[in-house]
Amino acid sequence: MSAKDVFHNIVKTALQKDGWIVNQDPLYLRLGDDQIRIDLGAERLIIAEREKEQIAVEVKSFLAPSALTEFHAAVGQFLNYRAVLQVQQPQRKLYLAVSADIYRNVFRRDLPQLSVKLYQITIIVFDPVAEVIVQWID
């Protein structure tokens, strides 16, 4: 079992402040011999439609010396997790959660912007001090 990300509980709190019910911490999925562990599974009731919206959230801190290497790993993990979710829980949308600083300093570079656009990576940007979500990027 891998350790929780540094920002795991902060993102969990931010989701709860945003009206989400975190009902899986972590969200385990199995595909063949492989088991994956997405950091959080959450849902919220959409009152207007009387349906549930479900998400899975992978939290990334980018604490290694190379932000680009961390970005490569995050994208690969995101794509693999999204593939398994599409097979096993297609109703659940996957988000990559990153701090506002990481989003501003890494995700706005040309290569990350291109990858986010091409691979349709959905992102939650959070403020780690206020423990709130500042932006949903679909």
Side-chain angles (χ1 to χ4, degrees):
M1 173 184 282
S2 59
K4 288 184 179 178
D5 186 272
V6 168
F7 293 128
H8 182 97
N9 288 331
I10 289 171
V11 172
K12 184 176 179 179
T13 298
L15 286 168
Q16 291 167 333
K17 286 181 177 179
D18 202 49
W20 291 89
I21 298 168
V22 177
N23 55 7
Q24 305 212 19
D25 180 8
L27 170 62
Y28 286 104
L29 299 172
R30 177 174 288 285
L31 184 67
D33 293 334
D34 297 312
Q35 181 174 347
I36 64 170
R37 177 186 156 272
I38 302 173
D39 289 321
L40 299 167
E43 66 183 24
R44 74 176 168 188
L45 187 62
I46 303 171
I47 295 171
E49 297 178 13
R50 296 183 184 206
E51 295 179 4
K52 286 184 181 175
E53 183 178 6
Q54 296 182 321
I55 62 172
V57 179
E58 181 61 21
V59 181
K60 290 296 171 199
S61 297
F62 287 76
L63 299 176
S66 171
L68 195 55
T69 298
E70 291 268 50
F71 179 77
H72 293 316
V75 169
Q77 196 173 26
F78 179 90
L79 294 175
N80 286 333
Y81 289 1
R82 185 170 64 190
V84 175
L85 277 173
Q86 287 174 348
V87 170
Q88 296 191 358
Q89 296 188 19
Q91 77 284 3
R92 197 179 291 274
K93 188 171 188 175
L94 179 62
Y95 285 89
L96 183 65
V98 296
S99 70
D101 286 345
I102 291 299
Y103 183 73
R104 186 174 39 256
N105 295 324
V106 177
F107 282 71
R108 288 190 177 169
R109 295 182 190 170
D110 291 341
L111 177 59
Q113 280 188 356
L114 178 62
S115 294
V116 166
K117 182 178 178 181
L118 285 176
Y119 301 124
Q120 300 175 343
I121 298 171
T122 47
I123 303 169
I124 295 173
V125 181
F126 63 92
D127 178 335
V129 176
E131 299 185 347
V132 295
I133 294 169
V134 294
Q135 188 175 5
W136 292 82
I137 301 170
D138 287 309

